[in-house]
Every structure is written in structure tokens, then in C-alpha cells.
Amino acid sequence: MAIPTLPHQTTDLFLTDGGTETWLMYKRSFELEEFAAFHLLHDPNAKAALQEYYGTFAEVAVRHGASFIFDSLTYRASRDWGRLLGYTDARLAEMNHACFELYRTAARAAGLPASKTVISGCIGPKGDAYKLDQALTAESAEAYHSEQIATFKAGGAHIVTALTLNTTAEAIGIARAAQSAGLPSVISFTLEKNRCLKSGESLQEAIETVDAQTNRAPAYYMINCAHPVDFGPALTSDAWSDRIHGLRANASTLDHGTLCQLGHLEEGNPDELAAQYADIRGNFPNMNVFGGCCGTDFVHVDKIATALLAPA
């Protein structure tokens, strides 16, 4: 089986998916217990919807000649969330692997070659992404996340992606755990309206801290679950920004708390979002991984790819 080139190994374009959970809830009317998309694989109708979701993204990647990073479905398939849903450790490992098989099926159906099919083991925070877990240390995060990363390794993942992190401690633990497992890691931070992590660090401070504490273990960094109008000004021309290779923005400029309480989907303006991505990449050509977060789907990512690949 061909081993795909990964984003930090090339300047080629990589696409990834969007707001999986918001699409499932608001576009397909599925209830997500504990916000866990993987748990829906037990429902044949939901599984078919997920195959449609990832399959359509893969088709977008094929159409644009891009590689695709299959991600997000295992976001809450870790021990604490799994136990809330009644999973044993063994059964939870099986579910992580089932997610990877769904990815591979979607890639084959779309005609995406193995050389452009990246299987990412997606990790979410141990707790709530929008609240601080004051007790979580780098050491406890490493111990906790090592379990899910081991299932990723056994399931044939090419890379580990940690989304929506709000503390450097958890990021350090995940990066160390992935390194110990022999898998490259991606650390994606989420920012508040003040352009800082929930824990108070600036994006620069967070990246430099994780790099210093892990000997630059992460393959690269990303930003997710924020909007370009908020995180864009946090980017600078300094060297630390070169460590950021990807974006997964929200469709809406609304803050996290408001978005969670709306009860309906905020899809924003896909054309405007695509133009904002193109502007950012124009200033930061090192970035080559692009997808979406809350409120986005394959429509947004298709427009983003079109904007990024348009002649200068």
C-alpha cells in the first residue's frame, strides 16, 4: 500500500473536512450524544450519512488534484468520553479502527489514490474544549492520550491531529505521546476573541512553549474553531508563524459560547471565507492544509480550494 506524502514533507495542497458534528446535527438531524460523531456508526442511516460526508470531501479533493486528510470522526473516541457512552477500552479501540475503515471506503469510492489518502487519528481535548481543565498537566495528558494514539498506530494512521486545544500542557502531552508511538503529530489550537488561548497564552507563546518543551516534536501546527477575522491579526511575519501549516476556521464570526447556544447552523458566507483563506495563504505561503470547523462543509472547502488554486 502506498504511503502518502504528509503536509510537512511538501508544499503541495492538502484539503481536510469541515464541521462534522454541526453538519450531522443541522444538515442531517442526528442527535450526537456527548457530541461524539463516532458513536453514530452503530446507526445504519447515520453511517450512510457519514459515508456521504467524507465521500463528497474526497470527491472535492480529486476534482482539485489535492491530497485529502481524513480527520475528525475520532475526536471524542478517547477513554473518558467513551466510558460516558458505555464503551470498554477494547470496544473503543474497535470504534477508532472502524472510523479509519470508513475513511478508506470513502477514498476508494471517490477514486482518491492511496498516495493522496492521509488517515489522521483525530484527538480532541480530554475535557470540554471551551473550559479550562486546571488539573491537566503535560504528564497526565501524555498518559491519557497515549491510549488512543496506540489504537491509531494499530489501525494504520499516518498522522495524529489534535484539534481545539486550549492549553499548552495538553498539547505538550499529546506531542510527546505521538512521538513515543512513532507517529508525527499536528497541534491545532483554538483562540478566543482576544486572540489568545483560553489559558491566556498568545498563539506565539503557545507554539514556542510546546516546541521548547518537546524539542519541536509536532510536525506542524494549525488553528481551528475560530474565524479569520479573529485569528488573522495574531499571525506575524516572525519565524514562529512558519510552524503553522493549516487552518480549519469556523464559518461564523460569533464566539464559541454564542455558537453553542444558537440551536441552529451558522454557515456564514463560503465565498467570503474562501477569499479570507486565499489572503492568509498569500501572506503565509508555508500553509498547505485547509479545511473547516463549525458550520462548514464540503461547499466551503470546495470554494476554498478554488480560491487557493486560482491564478495569481
Side-chain angles (χ1 to χ4, degrees):
M1 181 179 295
I3 299 176
T5 300
L6 298 177
H8 59 289
Q9 299 169 332
T10 179
T11 59
D12 292 346
L13 177 68
F14 289 74
L15 301 177
T16 188
D17 61 291
T20 308
E21 293 85 3
T22 53
W23 184 85
L24 286 165
M25 290 189 297
Y26 298 116
K27 289 295 187 77
R28 290 296 182 271
S29 300
F30 291 107
E31 292 187 12
L32 266 65
E33 191 175 355
E34 302 297 345
F35 206 62
F38 80 92
H39 190 53
L40 292 181
L41 290 181
H42 299 292
D43 179 341
N45 292 328
K47 184 174 182 179
L50 284 164
Q51 289 172 331
E52 173 196 347
Y53 176 81
Y54 285 104
T56 306
F57 275 108
E59 290 167 1
V60 169
V62 169
R63 188 161 61 252
H64 290 286
S67 295
F68 187 76
I69 303 172
F70 288 87
D71 206 19
S72 77
L73 192 51
T74 59
Y75 179 77
R76 282 208 163 160
S78 63
R79 187 218 311 152
D80 286 3
W81 297 108
R83 287 182 179 170
L84 288 175
L85 295 166
Y87 287 91
T88 63
D89 292 348
R91 185 63 182 134
L92 192 60
E94 291 173 3
M95 293 303 296
N96 276 280
H97 296 170
C99 293
F100 292 173
E101 285 308 307
L102 185 142
Y103 296 161
R104 295 183 180 108
T105 299
R108 288 192 295 268
L112 187 69
S115 61
K116 290 181 176 290
T117 300
V118 179
I119 304 298
S120 169
C122 179
I123 287 178
K126 182 177 185 293
D128 190 313
Y130 308 118
K131 296 178 182 178
L132 282 182
D133 185 344
Q134 302 284 4
L136 192 65
T137 64
E139 292 71 26
S140 62
E142 180 179 0
Y144 176 79
H145 290 295
S146 289
E147 298 172 13
Q148 189 178 20
I149 289 173
T151 71
F152 293 161
K153 180 78 171 182
H158 302 120
I159 197 165
V160 172
T161 304
L163 294 177
T164 331
L165 298 186
N166 62 25
T167 69
T168 55
E170 189 158 25
I172 290 166
I174 291 170
R176 289 174 177 170
Q179 186 175 53
S180 295
L183 286 171
S185 64
V186 180
I187 299 298
S188 185
F189 290 116
T190 185
L191 304 180
E192 302 297 311
K193 283 288 186 179
N194 64 0
R195 297 166 193 153
C196 293
L197 277 65
K198 191 75 171 177
S199 52
E201 298 103 324
S202 69
L203 184 59
Q204 177 178 354
E205 289 170 336
I207 290 174
E208 291 180 341
T209 297
V210 175
D211 272 351
Q213 294 296 317
T214 65
N215 195 25
R216 290 174 64 93
Y220 58 93
Y221 293 84
M222 294 181 65
I223 303 168
N224 83 289
C225 211
H227 192 273
V229 299
D230 294 322
F231 66 72
L235 303 173
T236 72
S237 58
D238 299 314
W240 67 270
S241 289
D242 290 339
R243 293 284 281 138
I244 303 171
H245 278 242
L247 305 175
R248 292 187 61 150
N250 286 345
S252 170
T253 61
L254 294 174
D255 64 82
H256 299 139
T258 302
L259 280 173
C260 291
Q261 296 171 9
L262 283 176
H264 66 266
L265 188 65
E266 282 290 327
E267 297 180 89
N269 184 323
D271 291 300
E272 182 179 83
L273 185 65
Q276 290 166 327
Y277 269 56
D279 286 344
I280 291 173
R281 196 192 193 196
N283 292 319
F284 300 94
N286 200 46
M287 293 189 185
N288 63 339
V289 181
F290 300 96
C293 203
C294 299
T296 65
D297 61 18
F298 28 78
V299 173
H300 298 75
V301 172
D302 190 14
K303 289 182 179 292
I304 288 166
T306 298
L308 294 172
L309 294 170

PDB file of all heavy atoms in Angstrom, residues 250-285:
ATOM      1  N   ASN A 250     -14.006  28.437  11.626  1.00  0.00           N
ATOM      2  CA  ASN A 250     -15.460  28.428  11.726  1.00  0.00           C
ATOM      3  C   ASN A 250     -16.056  29.248  10.591  1.00  0.00           C
ATOM      4  O   ASN A 250     -15.436  30.192  10.091  1.00  0.00           O
ATOM      5  CB  ASN A 250     -15.917  29.037  13.053  1.00  0.00           C
ATOM      6  CG  ASN A 250     -15.673  28.116  14.233  1.00  0.00           C
ATOM      7  OD1 ASN A 250     -15.422  26.923  14.065  1.00  0.00           O
ATOM      8  ND2 ASN A 250     -15.733  28.668  15.431  1.00  0.00           N
ATOM      9  N   ALA A 251     -17.282  28.915  10.217  1.00  0.00           N
ATOM     10  CA  ALA A 251     -17.970  29.673   9.172  1.00  0.00           C
ATOM     11  C   ALA A 251     -18.409  31.038   9.671  1.00  0.00           C
ATOM     12  O   ALA A 251     -18.518  31.987   8.898  1.00  0.00           O
ATOM     13  CB  ALA A 251     -19.186  28.887   8.677  1.00  0.00           C
ATOM     14  N   SER A 252     -18.674  31.143  10.966  1.00  0.00           N
ATOM     15  CA  SER A 252     -19.226  32.363  11.557  1.00  0.00           C
ATOM     16  C   SER A 252     -18.201  33.085  12.413  1.00  0.00           C
ATOM     17  O   SER A 252     -17.300  32.465  12.991  1.00  0.00           O
ATOM     18  CB  SER A 252     -20.448  32.014  12.419  1.00  0.00           C
ATOM     19  OG  SER A 252     -20.877  33.115  13.176  1.00  0.00           O
ATOM     20  N   THR A 253     -18.364  34.392  12.542  1.00  0.00           N
ATOM     21  CA  THR A 253     -17.502  35.190  13.410  1.00  0.00           C
ATOM     22  C   THR A 253     -17.973  35.178  14.860  1.00  0.00           C
ATOM     23  O   THR A 253     -17.298  35.730  15.724  1.00  0.00           O
ATOM     24  CB  THR A 253     -17.460  36.659  12.932  1.00  0.00           C
ATOM     25  OG1 THR A 253     -18.780  37.202  12.986  1.00  0.00           O
ATOM     26  CG2 THR A 253     -16.921  36.759  11.520  1.00  0.00           C
ATOM     27  N   LEU A 254     -19.100  34.544  15.148  1.00  0.00           N
ATOM     28  CA  LEU A 254     -19.620  34.515  16.512  1.00  0.00           C
ATOM     29  C   LEU A 254     -18.660  33.773  17.440  1.00  0.00           C
ATOM     30  O   LEU A 254     -17.963  32.845  17.026  1.00  0.00           O
ATOM     31  CB  LEU A 254     -20.996  33.849  16.544  1.00  0.00           C
ATOM     32  CG  LEU A 254     -22.125  34.596  15.826  1.00  0.00           C
ATOM     33  CD1 LEU A 254     -23.389  33.746  15.812  1.00  0.00           C
ATOM     34  CD2 LEU A 254     -22.400  35.944  16.496  1.00  0.00           C
ATOM     35  N   ASP A 255     -18.645  34.150  18.709  1.00  0.00           N
ATOM     36  CA  ASP A 255     -17.760  33.496  19.660  1.00  0.00           C
ATOM     37  C   ASP A 255     -18.274  32.100  19.998  1.00  0.00           C
ATOM     38  O   ASP A 255     -19.434  31.761  19.743  1.00  0.00           O
ATOM     39  CB  ASP A 255     -17.612  34.335  20.937  1.00  0.00           C
ATOM     40  CG  ASP A 255     -18.930  34.478  21.687  1.00  0.00           C
ATOM     41  OD1 ASP A 255     -19.293  33.558  22.428  1.00  0.00           O
ATOM     42  OD2 ASP A 255     -19.597  35.522  21.507  1.00  0.00           O
ATOM     43  N   HIS A 256     -17.395  31.294  20.607  1.00  0.00           N
ATOM     44  CA  HIS A 256     -17.708  29.894  20.902  1.00  0.00           C
ATOM     45  C   HIS A 256     -18.989  29.739  21.719  1.00  0.00           C
ATOM     46  O   HIS A 256     -19.851  28.926  21.398  1.00  0.00           O
ATOM     47  CB  HIS A 256     -16.551  29.247  21.675  1.00  0.00           C
ATOM     48  CG  HIS A 256     -15.258  29.240  20.939  1.00  0.00           C
ATOM     49  ND1 HIS A 256     -14.054  29.498  21.541  1.00  0.00           N
ATOM     50  CD2 HIS A 256     -14.970  29.013  19.643  1.00  0.00           C
ATOM     51  CE1 HIS A 256     -13.088  29.423  20.671  1.00  0.00           C
ATOM     52  NE2 HIS A 256     -13.602  29.136  19.506  1.00  0.00           N
ATOM     53  N   GLY A 257     -19.104  30.509  22.789  1.00  0.00           N
ATOM     54  CA  GLY A 257     -20.261  30.360  23.663  1.00  0.00           C
ATOM     55  C   GLY A 257     -21.565  30.656  22.962  1.00  0.00           C
ATOM     56  O   GLY A 257     -22.560  29.941  23.135  1.00  0.00           O
ATOM     57  N   THR A 258     -21.576  31.688  22.127  1.00  0.00           N
ATOM     58  CA  THR A 258     -22.791  32.040  21.395  1.00  0.00           C
ATOM     59  C   THR A 258     -23.148  30.958  20.389  1.00  0.00           C
ATOM     60  O   THR A 258     -24.314  30.564  20.261  1.00  0.00           O
ATOM     61  CB  THR A 258     -22.614  33.393  20.679  1.00  0.00           C
ATOM     62  OG1 THR A 258     -22.286  34.388  21.653  1.00  0.00           O
ATOM     63  CG2 THR A 258     -23.883  33.794  19.952  1.00  0.00           C
ATOM     64  N   LEU A 259     -22.144  30.461  19.673  1.00  0.00           N
ATOM     65  CA  LEU A 259     -22.396  29.417  18.676  1.00  0.00           C
ATOM     66  C   LEU A 259     -23.015  28.178  19.315  1.00  0.00           C
ATOM     67  O   LEU A 259     -23.894  27.542  18.725  1.00  0.00           O
ATOM     68  CB  LEU A 259     -21.085  29.033  17.978  1.00  0.00           C
ATOM     69  CG  LEU A 259     -20.593  29.954  16.858  1.00  0.00           C
ATOM     70  CD1 LEU A 259     -19.208  29.532  16.393  1.00  0.00           C
ATOM     71  CD2 LEU A 259     -21.564  29.948  15.681  1.00  0.00           C
ATOM     72  N   CYS A 260     -22.546  27.834  20.508  1.00  0.00           N
ATOM     73  CA  CYS A 260     -23.044  26.632  21.177  1.00  0.00           C
ATOM     74  C   CYS A 260     -24.493  26.772  21.642  1.00  0.00           C
ATOM     75  O   CYS A 260     -25.170  25.775  21.883  1.00  0.00           O
ATOM     76  CB  CYS A 260     -22.154  26.296  22.374  1.00  0.00           C
ATOM     77  SG  CYS A 260     -20.499  25.738  21.925  1.00  0.00           S
ATOM     78  N   GLN A 261     -24.975  28.002  21.777  1.00  0.00           N
ATOM     79  CA  GLN A 261     -26.307  28.222  22.319  1.00  0.00           C
ATOM     80  C   GLN A 261     -27.341  28.598  21.267  1.00  0.00           C
ATOM     81  O   GLN A 261     -28.522  28.739  21.583  1.00  0.00           O
ATOM     82  CB  GLN A 261     -26.244  29.336  23.378  1.00  0.00           C
ATOM     83  CG  GLN A 261     -25.398  28.982  24.588  1.00  0.00           C
ATOM     84  CD  GLN A 261     -25.176  30.154  25.519  1.00  0.00           C
ATOM     85  OE1 GLN A 261     -25.774  31.211  25.367  1.00  0.00           O
ATOM     86  NE2 GLN A 261     -24.293  29.981  26.496  1.00  0.00           N
ATOM     87  N   LEU A 262     -26.937  28.732  20.021  1.00  0.00           N
ATOM     88  CA  LEU A 262     -27.852  29.214  18.987  1.00  0.00           C
ATOM     89  C   LEU A 262     -28.986  28.246  18.683  1.00  0.00           C
ATOM     90  O   LEU A 262     -30.124  28.648  18.460  1.00  0.00           O
ATOM     91  CB  LEU A 262     -27.079  29.497  17.691  1.00  0.00           C
ATOM     92  CG  LEU A 262     -26.252  30.780  17.638  1.00  0.00           C
ATOM     93  CD1 LEU A 262     -25.492  30.847  16.324  1.00  0.00           C
ATOM     94  CD2 LEU A 262     -27.144  32.006  17.793  1.00  0.00           C
ATOM     95  N   GLY A 263     -28.649  26.950  18.625  1.00  0.00           N
ATOM     96  CA  GLY A 263     -29.661  25.961  18.277  1.00  0.00           C
ATOM     97  C   GLY A 263     -29.918  25.856  16.787  1.00  0.00           C
ATOM     98  O   GLY A 263     -30.840  25.162  16.358  1.00  0.00           O
ATOM     99  N   HIS A 264     -29.128  26.552  15.979  1.00  0.00           N
ATOM    100  CA  HIS A 264     -29.245  26.419  14.530  1.00  0.00           C
ATOM    101  C   HIS A 264     -27.863  26.628  13.904  1.00  0.00           C
ATOM    102  O   HIS A 264     -26.921  27.052  14.566  1.00  0.00           O
ATOM    103  CB  HIS A 264     -30.253  27.430  13.954  1.00  0.00           C
ATOM    104  CG  HIS A 264     -29.830  28.861  14.099  1.00  0.00           C
ATOM    105  ND1 HIS A 264     -30.241  29.638  15.173  1.00  0.00           N
ATOM    106  CD2 HIS A 264     -29.045  29.659  13.344  1.00  0.00           C
ATOM    107  CE1 HIS A 264     -29.727  30.846  15.057  1.00  0.00           C
ATOM    108  NE2 HIS A 264     -28.985  30.886  13.947  1.00  0.00           N
ATOM    109  N   LEU A 265     -27.748  26.297  12.641  1.00  0.00           N
ATOM    110  CA  LEU A 265     -26.465  26.332  11.948  1.00  0.00           C
ATOM    111  C   LEU A 265     -26.157  27.735  11.434  1.00  0.00           C
ATOM    112  O   LEU A 265     -27.010  28.398  10.847  1.00  0.00           O
ATOM    113  CB  LEU A 265     -26.494  25.349  10.770  1.00  0.00           C
ATOM    114  CG  LEU A 265     -25.164  25.112  10.048  1.00  0.00           C
ATOM    115  CD1 LEU A 265     -24.174  24.447  10.997  1.00  0.00           C
ATOM    116  CD2 LEU A 265     -25.383  24.235   8.826  1.00  0.00           C
ATOM    117  N   GLU A 266     -24.922  28.162  11.664  1.00  0.00           N
ATOM    118  CA  GLU A 266     -24.416  29.411  11.106  1.00  0.00           C
ATOM    119  C   GLU A 266     -23.396  29.054  10.030  1.00  0.00           C
ATOM    120  O   GLU A 266     -22.268  28.680  10.338  1.00  0.00           O
ATOM    121  CB  GLU A 266     -23.782  30.270  12.197  1.00  0.00           C
ATOM    122  CG  GLU A 266     -24.776  31.008  13.069  1.00  0.00           C
ATOM    123  CD  GLU A 266     -25.485  32.143  12.334  1.00  0.00           C
ATOM    124  OE1 GLU A 266     -24.873  32.769  11.447  1.00  0.00           O
ATOM    125  OE2 GLU A 266     -26.672  32.375  12.639  1.00  0.00           O
ATOM    126  N   GLU A 267     -23.808  29.149   8.756  1.00  0.00           N
ATOM    127  CA  GLU A 267     -22.932  28.742   7.659  1.00  0.00           C
ATOM    128  C   GLU A 267     -22.078  29.877   7.105  1.00  0.00           C
ATOM    129  O   GLU A 267     -21.180  29.644   6.295  1.00  0.00           O
ATOM    130  CB  GLU A 267     -23.766  28.147   6.522  1.00  0.00           C
ATOM    131  CG  GLU A 267     -24.508  26.893   6.907  1.00  0.00           C
ATOM    132  CD  GLU A 267     -25.309  26.335   5.748  1.00  0.00           C
ATOM    133  OE1 GLU A 267     -24.752  25.536   4.978  1.00  0.00           O
ATOM    134  OE2 GLU A 267     -26.492  26.714   5.606  1.00  0.00           O
ATOM    135  N   GLY A 268     -22.334  31.102   7.535  1.00  0.00           N
ATOM    136  CA  GLY A 268     -21.554  32.229   7.067  1.00  0.00           C
ATOM    137  C   GLY A 268     -21.659  32.417   5.565  1.00  0.00           C
ATOM    138  O   GLY A 268     -22.629  32.015   4.921  1.00  0.00           O
ATOM    139  N   ASN A 269     -20.635  33.022   4.985  1.00  0.00           N
ATOM    140  CA  ASN A 269     -20.557  33.257   3.542  1.00  0.00           C
ATOM    141  C   ASN A 269     -19.369  32.470   3.001  1.00  0.00           C
ATOM    142  O   ASN A 269     -18.215  32.882   3.177  1.00  0.00           O
ATOM    143  CB  ASN A 269     -20.387  34.754   3.267  1.00  0.00           C
ATOM    144  CG  ASN A 269     -20.387  35.076   1.786  1.00  0.00           C
ATOM    145  OD1 ASN A 269     -19.868  34.322   0.965  1.00  0.00           O
ATOM    146  ND2 ASN A 269     -20.959  36.211   1.419  1.00  0.00           N
ATOM    147  N   PRO A 270     -19.605  31.323   2.331  1.00  0.00           N
ATOM    148  CA  PRO A 270     -18.488  30.495   1.864  1.00  0.00           C
ATOM    149  C   PRO A 270     -17.531  31.223   0.928  1.00  0.00           C
ATOM    150  O   PRO A 270     -16.312  31.003   0.990  1.00  0.00           O
ATOM    151  CB  PRO A 270     -19.198  29.334   1.148  1.00  0.00           C
ATOM    152  CG  PRO A 270     -20.548  29.258   1.791  1.00  0.00           C
ATOM    153  CD  PRO A 270     -20.914  30.682   2.087  1.00  0.00           C
ATOM    154  N   ASP A 271     -18.043  32.087   0.071  1.00  0.00           N
ATOM    155  CA  ASP A 271     -17.164  32.824  -0.843  1.00  0.00           C
ATOM    156  C   ASP A 271     -16.263  33.788  -0.076  1.00  0.00           C
ATOM    157  O   ASP A 271     -15.075  33.921  -0.386  1.00  0.00           O
ATOM    158  CB  ASP A 271     -17.997  33.593  -1.867  1.00  0.00           C
ATOM    159  CG  ASP A 271     -18.709  32.681  -2.858  1.00  0.00           C
ATOM    160  OD1 ASP A 271     -18.016  31.933  -3.564  1.00  0.00           O
ATOM    161  OD2 ASP A 271     -19.951  32.696  -2.897  1.00  0.00           O
ATOM    162  N   GLU A 272     -16.827  34.445   0.911  1.00  0.00           N
ATOM    163  CA  GLU A 272     -16.040  35.374   1.716  1.00  0.00           C
ATOM    164  C   GLU A 272     -14.975  34.632   2.508  1.00  0.00           C
ATOM    165  O   GLU A 272     -13.822  35.077   2.604  1.00  0.00           O
ATOM    166  CB  GLU A 272     -16.961  36.144   2.661  1.00  0.00           C
ATOM    167  CG  GLU A 272     -16.265  37.179   3.515  1.00  0.00           C
ATOM    168  CD  GLU A 272     -17.245  37.918   4.410  1.00  0.00           C
ATOM    169  OE1 GLU A 272     -17.571  37.381   5.488  1.00  0.00           O
ATOM    170  OE2 GLU A 272     -17.705  39.007   4.000  1.00  0.00           O
ATOM    171  N   LEU A 273     -15.347  33.487   3.081  1.00  0.00           N
ATOM    172  CA  LEU A 273     -14.381  32.688   3.841  1.00  0.00           C
ATOM    173  C   LEU A 273     -13.249  32.221   2.933  1.00  0.00           C
ATOM    174  O   LEU A 273     -12.070  32.257   3.316  1.00  0.00           O
ATOM    175  CB  LEU A 273     -15.081  31.496   4.488  1.00  0.00           C
ATOM    176  CG  LEU A 273     -14.219  30.635   5.423  1.00  0.00           C
ATOM    177  CD1 LEU A 273     -13.782  31.435   6.646  1.00  0.00           C
ATOM    178  CD2 LEU A 273     -14.986  29.375   5.857  1.00  0.00           C
ATOM    179  N   ALA A 274     -13.592  31.787   1.724  1.00  0.00           N
ATOM    180  CA  ALA A 274     -12.575  31.340   0.777  1.00  0.00           C
ATOM    181  C   ALA A 274     -11.604  32.460   0.440  1.00  0.00           C
ATOM    182  O   ALA A 274     -10.381  32.248   0.356  1.00  0.00           O
ATOM    183  CB  ALA A 274     -13.246  30.816  -0.492  1.00  0.00           C
ATOM    184  N   ALA A 275     -12.125  33.661   0.250  1.00  0.00           N
ATOM    185  CA  ALA A 275     -11.267  34.813  -0.050  1.00  0.00           C
ATOM    186  C   ALA A 275     -10.350  35.122   1.130  1.00  0.00           C
ATOM    187  O   ALA A 275      -9.173  35.490   0.937  1.00  0.00           O
ATOM    188  CB  ALA A 275     -12.125  36.026  -0.394  1.00  0.00           C
ATOM    189  N   GLN A 276     -10.857  34.966   2.345  1.00  0.00           N
ATOM    190  CA  GLN A 276     -10.029  35.211   3.526  1.00  0.00           C
ATOM    191  C   GLN A 276      -8.909  34.177   3.626  1.00  0.00           C
ATOM    192  O   GLN A 276      -7.765  34.515   3.975  1.00  0.00           O
ATOM    193  CB  GLN A 276     -10.909  35.188   4.782  1.00  0.00           C
ATOM    194  CG  GLN A 276     -11.847  36.386   4.872  1.00  0.00           C
ATOM    195  CD  GLN A 276     -12.943  36.221   5.899  1.00  0.00           C
ATOM    196  OE1 GLN A 276     -13.429  35.112   6.143  1.00  0.00           O
ATOM    197  NE2 GLN A 276     -13.366  37.325   6.513  1.00  0.00           N
ATOM    198  N   TYR A 277      -9.205  32.931   3.312  1.00  0.00           N
ATOM    199  CA  TYR A 277      -8.168  31.900   3.294  1.00  0.00           C
ATOM    200  C   TYR A 277      -7.093  32.255   2.258  1.00  0.00           C
ATOM    201  O   TYR A 277      -5.888  32.125   2.524  1.00  0.00           O
ATOM    202  CB  TYR A 277      -8.780  30.548   2.929  1.00  0.00           C
ATOM    203  CG  TYR A 277      -9.257  29.705   4.083  1.00  0.00           C
ATOM    204  CD1 TYR A 277     -10.185  30.179   5.006  1.00  0.00           C
ATOM    205  CD2 TYR A 277      -8.820  28.401   4.234  1.00  0.00           C
ATOM    206  CE1 TYR A 277     -10.646  29.387   6.040  1.00  0.00           C
ATOM    207  CE2 TYR A 277      -9.265  27.592   5.273  1.00  0.00           C
ATOM    208  CZ  TYR A 277     -10.181  28.092   6.182  1.00  0.00           C
ATOM    209  OH  TYR A 277     -10.625  27.294   7.209  1.00  0.00           O
ATOM    210  N   ALA A 278      -7.531  32.661   1.061  1.00  0.00           N
ATOM    211  CA  ALA A 278      -6.580  32.980  -0.003  1.00  0.00           C
ATOM    212  C   ALA A 278      -5.688  34.149   0.411  1.00  0.00           C
ATOM    213  O   ALA A 278      -4.476  34.145   0.135  1.00  0.00           O
ATOM    214  CB  ALA A 278      -7.326  33.297  -1.290  1.00  0.00           C
ATOM    215  N   ASP A 279      -6.255  35.138   1.084  1.00  0.00           N
ATOM    216  CA  ASP A 279      -5.464  36.281   1.549  1.00  0.00           C
ATOM    217  C   ASP A 279      -4.407  35.831   2.560  1.00  0.00           C
ATOM    218  O   ASP A 279      -3.247  36.266   2.509  1.00  0.00           O
ATOM    219  CB  ASP A 279      -6.371  37.334   2.187  1.00  0.00           C
ATOM    220  CG  ASP A 279      -7.174  38.122   1.168  1.00  0.00           C
ATOM    221  OD1 ASP A 279      -6.828  38.068  -0.030  1.00  0.00           O
ATOM    222  OD2 ASP A 279      -8.152  38.788   1.570  1.00  0.00           O
ATOM    223  N   ILE A 280      -4.815  34.971   3.487  1.00  0.00           N
ATOM    224  CA  ILE A 280      -3.878  34.494   4.506  1.00  0.00           C
ATOM    225  C   ILE A 280      -2.757  33.677   3.867  1.00  0.00           C
ATOM    226  O   ILE A 280      -1.574  33.870   4.168  1.00  0.00           O
ATOM    227  CB  ILE A 280      -4.610  33.677   5.584  1.00  0.00           C
ATOM    228  CG1 ILE A 280      -5.513  34.594   6.416  1.00  0.00           C
ATOM    229  CG2 ILE A 280      -3.614  32.955   6.492  1.00  0.00           C
ATOM    230  CD1 ILE A 280      -6.410  33.864   7.394  1.00  0.00           C
ATOM    231  N   ARG A 281      -3.127  32.789   2.938  1.00  0.00           N
ATOM    232  CA  ARG A 281      -2.085  31.983   2.312  1.00  0.00           C
ATOM    233  C   ARG A 281      -1.142  32.853   1.470  1.00  0.00           C
ATOM    234  O   ARG A 281       0.045  32.546   1.350  1.00  0.00           O
ATOM    235  CB  ARG A 281      -2.680  30.880   1.440  1.00  0.00           C
ATOM    236  CG  ARG A 281      -1.640  29.820   1.107  1.00  0.00           C
ATOM    237  CD  ARG A 281      -2.075  28.861   0.041  1.00  0.00           C
ATOM    238  NE  ARG A 281      -1.191  27.713  -0.017  1.00  0.00           N
ATOM    239  CZ  ARG A 281      -1.141  26.865  -1.039  1.00  0.00           C
ATOM    240  NH1 ARG A 281      -1.925  27.046  -2.087  1.00  0.00           N
ATOM    241  NH2 ARG A 281      -0.311  25.844  -1.026  1.00  0.00           N
ATOM    242  N   GLY A 282      -1.674  33.931   0.904  1.00  0.00           N
ATOM    243  CA  GLY A 282      -0.820  34.843   0.152  1.00  0.00           C
ATOM    244  C   GLY A 282       0.272  35.435   1.022  1.00  0.00           C
ATOM    245  O   GLY A 282       1.397  35.684   0.560  1.00  0.00           O
ATOM    246  N   ASN A 283      -0.046  35.657   2.290  1.00  0.00           N
ATOM    247  CA  ASN A 283       0.928  36.203   3.228  1.00  0.00           C
ATOM    248  C   ASN A 283       1.752  35.130   3.924  1.00  0.00           C
ATOM    249  O   ASN A 283       2.860  35.414   4.407  1.00  0.00           O
ATOM    250  CB  ASN A 283       0.221  37.054   4.283  1.00  0.00           C
ATOM    251  CG  ASN A 283      -0.371  38.320   3.705  1.00  0.00           C
ATOM    252  OD1 ASN A 283       0.241  38.976   2.867  1.00  0.00           O
ATOM    253  ND2 ASN A 283      -1.578  38.672   4.151  1.00  0.00           N
ATOM    254  N   PHE A 284       1.200  33.916   3.954  1.00  0.00           N
ATOM    255  CA  PHE A 284       1.880  32.810   4.634  1.00  0.00           C
ATOM    256  C   PHE A 284       1.887  31.581   3.720  1.00  0.00           C
ATOM    257  O   PHE A 284       1.140  30.623   3.933  1.00  0.00           O
ATOM    258  CB  PHE A 284       1.191  32.501   5.965  1.00  0.00           C
ATOM    259  CG  PHE A 284       1.179  33.661   6.915  1.00  0.00           C
ATOM    260  CD1 PHE A 284       0.082  34.520   6.966  1.00  0.00           C
ATOM    261  CD2 PHE A 284       2.269  33.922   7.728  1.00  0.00           C
ATOM    262  CE1 PHE A 284       0.069  35.606   7.828  1.00  0.00           C
ATOM    263  CE2 PHE A 284       2.263  35.011   8.591  1.00  0.00           C
ATOM    264  CZ  PHE A 284       1.171  35.857   8.634  1.00  0.00           C
ATOM    265  N   PRO A 285       2.725  31.599   2.682  1.00  0.00           N
ATOM    266  CA  PRO A 285       2.718  30.518   1.679  1.00  0.00           C
ATOM    267  C   PRO A 285       3.135  29.164   2.229  1.00  0.00           C
ATOM    268  O   PRO A 285       2.965  28.141   1.554  1.00  0.00           O
ATOM    269  CB  PRO A 285       3.713  31.022   0.624  1.00  0.00           C
ATOM    270  CG  PRO A 285       4.570  32.008   1.339  1.00  0.00           C
ATOM    271  CD  PRO A 285       3.684  32.661   2.346  1.00  0.00           C
TER     272      PRO A 285
END
